[in-house]
Amino acid sequence: MTRRDVVVVGSGPNGLAAAVTLARAGLGVLVLEAEPTVGGGARTLDLGLADGITHDVCSAVHPMAWASPFFQEFDLAARGVELLVPEVSYAQPLPGGRAGIAFRDLERTVEALGVDGPTWRSLVGGAADPAVRVALGDKRSIPVVDPRAALRFGLGVLEQGTRAWDRRFVDEVAPALLTGVAAHAISPLPSFAAAGTALLLATLAHAEGGWPIPRGGSGALVAALRADLEAHDGLIRTDHRVRRFADLPPAHCYVFDTTPRTLVEVLGDKLPPRARTALDAFRYGDAAAKVDFVLDGPVPWTVREVGLAGTVHVGGTRAEMARAEGDVARGEHAGLPMTLVSDPTVVDGTRLVDGRRPLWTYAHVPAGSDVDVTEAVTRHIERYAPGFRDVVVTSRCTQASRMSEHNQNYVDGDISAGAASIGQLFARPTRRWDPYSSGRDGVYLCSASTPPGPGVHGLGGWYAAKRVLREFGITRLPSVAPELSRSGSGSASSPRAR
Ligand SMILES: Cc1cc2nc3c(=O)[nH]c(=O)nc-3n(C[C@H](O)[C@H](O)[C@H](O)COP(=O)(O)OP(=O)(O)OC[C@H]3O[C@@H](n4cnc5c(N)ncnc54)[C@H](O)[C@@H]3O)c2cc1C
């Protein structure tokens, strides 16, 4: 058997980002993927619900990919990946025919929020770069940012992460609009982790890239990563689940795009006891149950502008969302669960087939829930879009308890691959100074269970690859930018001189 330089276990965005970076450095890379298709949480598949309709199995909306320093250098646009920017980044329908609308245009949002507009601007109206550097760093090095911008971000987290969160708001629309974003953390509200998530994502919503949706679905990002890897002699083997150390071919280094739990299962007593204990202590969080719909018309939102949003947070007022997330944290199902909704056809007509469209939704539920939430999600959307039921052609629920059947990283339906508590956002996956090292020489972790955490940004993979390269005496991170083909245009498939 050929000894490879590096074997990457798992082909999610982080695994592929690591593989691309390592292959670009001239290393021989093999990616082993348990599922029949590559891409992990960024796959777009035909689920067989309706002819020609494809669904984003996990991620659908990509502010993190747009903001990611890895993807910026990788240059998705030059590789033909179109990140389509909705006019409305996200919306929050409210009882009584009202709605909060986060236009990509900050000033339009501020104006629409009226009395709370200035508070909105002060919380999320700053430049995106400092928030990105603070929140998307490796959580070990000190980000180089304007101290005033860092202070402003920190004070915002302190305010929105505590019961002081209503202090500056007068009306109920703006706080609800922000809480819908905070709920992405799937944690009790308010909390520092949820506030950090909210301020980062809400700031990005007003940045140039907004909350974009890739033309054709998230799989377009995966296809670009795969093309680059294969153009640099990287190999991918699908249907290859790694269960034990013996399932791994010989290699100099191993990089796991998996949870710490899988790493421990595979390495067993090959891990030093202290490292194993620390990895075993990693906590998994509450969960999501996914409902993929096929509709034969748009969602009939009461407020017209909600229909322009790439993402709709269906959760009602701030108090209602805090209650629903509190139920989940106590292990109960909320009557009207926090629900995220995205209709890609708002910006991407190619997803419409014979007048039918996919609707991506998921609802927050307790870890391990086996409840089919289709009716709860339908009822909740109906609250703000009466008649929704009538446009549903068909649907399919993936219960939280079944999430790991298509992606082992989503333990009991935890789509963040580890609870997003403030402790675990910083000491992720353990308190080690090098968060990517497993504790055993030559074995690394790079998944969303490592810094900077969940999201399609590829940064866990990129940062881990930098660490792995040092094992080969390579101290300079290779460029992952498209190479110039002979014709002079950017190309991911130009051959590499070895
Ligand atoms: C329903 C849902 C909605 C989401 N929405 C968004 C969104 O809109 N925007 C966003 O930015 N993020 C979103 N996310 C989160 C995002 O998808 C993940 O954070 C991201 O994909 C993590 O990337 P990763 O590379 O760390 O792991 P993953 O993408 O989870 O990939 C891990 C890969 O490793 C493979 N694997 C695991 N164990 C083994 C093994 N033992 N052997 C071989 N292979 C193995 C898996 O099959 C998988 O392919 C969502 C996730 C879910 C589930």
Side-chain angles (χ1 to χ4, degrees):
M1 200 182 285
T2 320
R3 185 179 167 89
R4 295 244 143 216
D5 291 323
V6 186
V7 168
V8 177
V9 180
S11 69
N14 283 314
L16 290 177
V20 161
T21 310
L22 295 165
R24 284 293 195 107
L27 300 179
V29 179
L30 169 67
V31 178
L32 300 177
E33 168 55 52
E35 300 300 319
T37 48
V38 294
R43 286 171 294 163
T44 305
L45 299 177
D46 182 341
L47 300 178
L49 295 182
D51 280 353
I53 301 274
T54 56
H55 300 263
D56 289 304
V57 180
C58 302
S59 61
V61 184
H62 293 284
M64 302 260 215
W66 178 78
S68 158
F70 168 78
F71 275 117
Q72 282 183 0
E73 186 176 312
F74 187 72
D75 198 346
L76 288 164
R79 298 162 190 273
V81 180
E82 283 180 81
L83 292 181
L84 306 168
V85 186
E87 176 185 347
V88 174
S89 294
Y90 58 95
Q92 181 79 31
L94 288 162
R98 303 177 81 195
I101 306 292
F103 295 98
R104 206 197 57 72
D105 181 339
L106 174 68
E107 289 314 317
R108 213 172 146 195
T109 312
V110 166
E111 197 184 315
L113 290 175
V115 64
D116 285 327
T119 300
W120 188 264
R121 188 193 287 109
S122 80
L123 281 169
V124 302
D129 187 56
V132 168
R133 282 171 194 257
V134 171
L136 295 188
D138 66 7
K139 305 292 196 304
R140 298 297 188 275
S141 34
I142 297 171
V144 185
V145 285
D146 172 1
R148 281 166 310 175
L151 183 67
R152 176 182 154 138
F153 187 76
L155 290 176
V157 171
L158 281 180
E159 181 191 78
Q160 291 305 308
T162 60
R163 288 281 161 204
W165 65 342
D166 279 330
R167 197 174 60 94
R168 285 191 288 155
F169 287 121
V170 177
D171 193 10
E172 68 175 0
V173 177
L177 190 60
L178 193 59
T179 307
V181 190
H184 283 242
I186 318 188
S187 75
L189 296 168
S191 73
F192 291 132
T197 304
L199 295 188
L200 170 69
L201 292 176
T203 302
L204 288 174
H206 301 301
E208 188 193 334
W211 280 20
I213 294 177
R215 189 182 295 286
S218 302
L221 275 61
V222 174
L225 289 165
R226 180 182 193 152
D228 194 274
L229 176 63
E230 291 178 342
H232 293 85
D233 303 336
L235 293 177
I236 301 177
R237 199 179 298 157
T238 50
D239 289 308
H240 187 112
R241 188 175 300 280
V242 176
R243 292 192 170 84
R244 58 195 79 80
F245 201 71
D247 295 338
L248 291 166
H252 189 77
C253 280
Y254 299 96
V255 182
F256 281 74
D257 183 19
T258 69
T259 59
R261 184 176 290 183
T262 298
L263 180 75
V264 169
E265 276 164 18
V266 171
L267 287 193
D269 55 17
K270 290 186 166 47
L271 278 170
R274 270 183 63 184
R276 185 179 173 153
T277 306
L279 290 166
D280 275 337
F282 187 68
R283 286 188 308 104
Y284 298 86
D286 279 312
K290 182 107 189 300
V291 188
D292 289 297
F293 290 94
V294 175
L295 310 182
D296 63 7
V299 180
W301 301 108
T302 304
V303 178
R304 188 194 68 85
E305 281 156 328
V306 175
L308 303 176
T311 304
V312 183
H313 299 131
V314 178
T317 63
R318 171 170 263 188
E320 285 174 321
M321 286 182 277
R323 228 175 3 253
E325 295 297 80
D327 287 346
V328 169
R330 281 191 302 279
E332 294 163 17
H333 288 85
L336 290 174
M338 182 69 215
T339 301
L340 282 78
V341 177
S342 177
D343 173 353
T345 70
V346 163
V347 280
D348 183 4
T350 67
R351 304 290 293 275
L352 272 170
V353 179
D354 297 334
R356 291 181 169 181
R357 69 190 69 210
L359 188 77
W360 169 102
T361 76
Y362 68 84
H364 294 177
V365 292
S369 159
D370 58 5
V371 171
D372 180 332
V373 295
T374 309
E375 178 53 28
V377 165
T378 305
R379 232 181 326 117
H380 208 175
I381 297 176
E382 277 266 337
R383 190 179 182 209
Y384 306 104
F388 170 63
R389 251 177 230 288
D390 302 333
V391 296
V392 174
V393 176
T394 185
S395 65
R396 186 187 89 163
C397 177
T398 308
Q399 294 99 315
S401 58
R402 305 195 62 177
M403 280 281 186
S404 59
E405 287 174 16
H406 70 78
N407 189 334
Q408 198 177 323
N409 285 20
Y410 303 141
V411 175
D412 287 334
D414 171 8
I415 65 172
S416 304
S421 63
I422 195 72
Q424 282 207 164
L425 281 186
F426 284 93
R428 196 173 181 89
T430 65
R431 285 205 207 99
R432 294 182 76 86
W433 184 249
D434 176 358
Y436 307 104
S437 159
S438 69
R440 184 190 155 102
D441 287 349
V443 182
Y444 296 87
L445 260 178
C446 75
S447 70
S449 305
T450 66
V456 175
H457 42 58
L459 290 168
W462 203 37
Y463 298 147
K466 190 172 174 182
R467 179 68 190 75
V468 174
L469 286 173
R470 277 195 254 144
E471 292 243 2
F472 294 89
I474 302 171
T475 49
R476 250 188 84 195
L477 201 59
S479 166
V480 292
E483 292 155 332
L484 287 183
S485 67
R486 284 203 194 95
S487 64
S489 61
S491 162
S493 57
S494 45
R496 175 188 52 150
R498 290 201 83 168

